[in-house]
Amino acid sequence: MRIVIDLMGADLGILPIVEGVAKALGTQVFEPVLVGDATKAKALISKDLASKVEIIDCPDYIRMEEQATDALKRKETSIFVGMDILKNGADALVSAGHSGATMGLATLKLGRIKGVSRPALCTLMPSVGQRASILLDVGANTDCKPEYLLDFAIMGYEYARSVLGYENASVGLLSNGEEDSKGSLATKEAFKLISQYPLFHREPNNANASAFKGNVEGNDIFVNAVDVVVCDGFVGNVVLKTTEGVASAISSVFRNEVKNGLGAKLGALLLKGAFSLIRQKTDYAEYGGAPLLGVNKTVIISHGKSNARAIECAIYQAIKAKESNVCEKMALAFSHKPLDEEASHES
Amino acid sequence: MRIVIDLMGADLGILPIVEGVAKALGTQVFEPVLVGDATKAKALISKDLASKVEIIDCPDYIRMEEQATDALKRKETSIFVGMDILKNGADALVSAGHSGATMGLATLKLGRIKGVSRPALCTLMPSVGQRASILLDVGANTDCKPEYLLDFAIMGYEYARSVLGYENASVGLLSNGEEDSKGSLATKEAFKLISQYPLFHREPNNANASAFKGNVEGNDIFVNAVDVVVCDGFVGNVVLKTTEGVASAISSVFRNEVKNGLGAKLGALLLKGAFSLIRQKTDYAEYGGAPLLGVNKTVIISHGKSNARAIECAIYQAIKAKESNVCEKMALAFSHKPLDEEASHES
């Protein structure tokens, strides 16, 4: 399995990426293709590692402050070159660089799975439930038509089943109340579309039989009330940032308390099990990256601040996605969709 | 000061409401007008309290499962009668009943402040910053035009200054990134409207001089990055529920740990300062209720599950709002707004 790994544009530079590749090679068999500044990379790579990786020299990259659309013209950048390699025979790509650039190039070069109106970014959310819920879209699509939300439901459902191996995976639509009647104009319309889609077929008098559980609320995410939570990219971003904000505010209250006294220090020590569980559940590194669903090959978008562990997990995620044939299964899930005039018009 | 208090439709019945009124009367001077089931209320009221309150008998009320629009026709309900009393001479109203019914009747009977396109519900958010940030809208308006978001910015700003007494109050627009270019179609347009509004007048080369600080993200809410966070009611509800979900998930991890051992119990005891600070900051009862901004008199919408303390605080909030003349100040803040054709058309 050939996995393209973008070395450029991450906040912490090349080192954690190279370290993540080395760690992943310690447990899995795959052929890494590193795209980026070869001179810098070679200086950081051990002799042993050098024999296991291919390095493609392309030191240029899209800076964070640049527009995603610039990426389509900048043919010398690592992500442009990397996406071409993926398209022409590699199996997956991992990048912690400019996420808009990666999404744009992936859509352009790999193409969307037939029937998909918009690719979406999905992420695993911390949960005290049986399994982690996945949330999508978390940033690829700010304004969403109801049809896009239907597509996110289909993609999230297939990802949960195929890649995460969730049995009896369930889907919910994020709304401002759990009653069927709640929602914005767009989510109310999406509710109908999802209910009617053959994969979810949901009748009002037999709603339990469907994988689509209807509307869910923000708090449902953290108890795994459903496995897949569907929303537009604007709302998804707000959920992610709010989650981060609450967790970090609570943790700062504890830190202040511990700073102020020996008793509190001891208390924190005695509760270290709980603290470490919370840290583990909220550590994005353990979840790898955010897969971009709906394009024809596996693309994992890692956090700009990814450490070696995050890159390592993103590579495992890429391997799992490829091995599970999720793109093929997704194409099948979309085959129920009539390719109507509007959809083909939008292509 | 006459304050109408709705006794009906709250999840915990009449008792906590009566208790809340009694508590508030212990510290503040006001004339409570209790609307609701007089027989039940009298059975719960002490002789001393009975001498200080007026009771209007109207046992009917809007059930939670009923539509808000039903309230406009049901003239015998406590909220219909109460809103009439407010309109005809009382100073404020507090209700823990059907919130949609209260909002609908308030808008219809009290009328909107001139220039306000839609009233909005606002709430104080827990924060580790200097002050609590207020978030609006949190549920009154699901789909919002850019103009509504401008109105929320103006109303939130006036509330922060007049009622909360925030000096140099600042306003932010909740978005999916802090850069000026981020946002949905509606928030991008609202960004322009707020920037150009005389109250906020914000020039790109001198943004610091304006009270409008531009886009903020979900995590900014909990560090008081700005005092007023503006969003539509759909997103506001998702933020509230997500906040609740994260806090409750974290607390359940601690509870499980404490259940499992004596050491963890001791640990929790040693950290009780931090736990109680978090509890206090996330206890909605301490914040009272959610003021409905943009109508011509003071209306406080309390949580359906309000305990006596929450009702007590909601009454204090009502007194403070009335004393600060916030409605008059808001009318002044809106006087900069040209009453264009579209706005008057929508009235």
Side-chain angles (χ1 to χ4, degrees), chain A residues 34-90:
Chain A
L34 310 184
V35 289
D37 189 323
T39 316
K40 283 191 186 159
K42 280 177 184 159
L44 297 168
I45 286 176
S46 69
K47 211 168 164 184
D48 177 53
L49 183 58
S51 68
K52 294 176 187 156
V53 302
E54 186 181 339
I55 305 181
I56 310 289
D57 188 37
C58 38
D60 195 13
Y61 66 97
I62 307 294
R63 271 70 182 170
M64 288 297 172
E65 62 277 13
E66 290 183 81
Q67 296 290 322
T69 44
D70 293 348
L72 311 180
K73 296 166 281 180
R74 302 263 305 277
K75 298 185 181 179
E76 314 293 320
T77 61
S78 61
I79 189 64
F80 196 103
V81 172
M83 206 60 81
D84 269 340
I85 298 172
L86 174 59
K87 184 186 172 188
N88 297 323

Side-chain angles (χ1 to χ4, degrees), chain B residues 221-249:
Chain B
I221 299 169
F222 309 95
V223 292
N224 185 233
V226 291
D227 296 313
V228 179
V229 177
V230 172
C231 61
D232 68 42
F234 183 94
V235 170
N237 182 283
V238 169
V239 169
L240 282 191
K241 294 294 169 67
T242 299
T243 303
E244 195 184 307
V246 176
S248 136

Side-chain angles (χ1 to χ4, degrees), chain A residues 128 142-143 174 176 183-185 217-219 222 234 237-239 241-243 246 249 254 257 263-264 267 270 273-275, chain B residues 128 142-143 174 176 183-185 217-219 222 234 237-239 241-243 246 249 254 257 263-264 267 270-271 273-275:
Chain A
V128 292
T142 304
D143 291 282
L174 189 59
N176 59 337
S184 64
L185 295 174
E217 297 186 274
N219 49 331
F222 309 95
F234 183 94
N237 182 283
V238 170
V239 169
K241 293 293 169 66
T242 300
T243 303
V246 177
F254 282 114
E257 182 81 1
L270 289 166
F275 282 110
Chain B
V128 292
T142 304
D143 290 282
L174 190 57
N176 58 337
S184 65
L185 294 173
E217 299 186 272
N219 48 331
F222 309 95
F234 183 94
N237 182 283
V238 169
V239 169
K241 294 294 169 67
T242 299
T243 303
V246 176
F254 282 114
E257 182 80 0
L270 288 167
L271 278 173
F275 282 108

Side-chain angles (χ1 to χ4, degrees), chain B residues 297-320:
Chain B
K297 284 199 164 180
T298 296
V299 173
I300 309 286
I301 302 211
S302 290
H303 201 295
K305 293 188 174 61
S306 285
N307 56 21
R309 173 70 181 158
I311 298 293
E312 179 193 0
C313 291
I315 293 170
Y316 296 151
Q317 213 174 359
I319 294 172
K320 222 167 154 186

Side-chain angles (χ1 to χ4, degrees), chain B residues 204-221:
Chain B
N205 48 4
N206 192 16
N208 286 340
S210 168
F212 176 51
K213 303 303 177 195
N215 287 330
V216 296
E217 299 186 272
N219 48 331
D220 290 323
I221 299 169

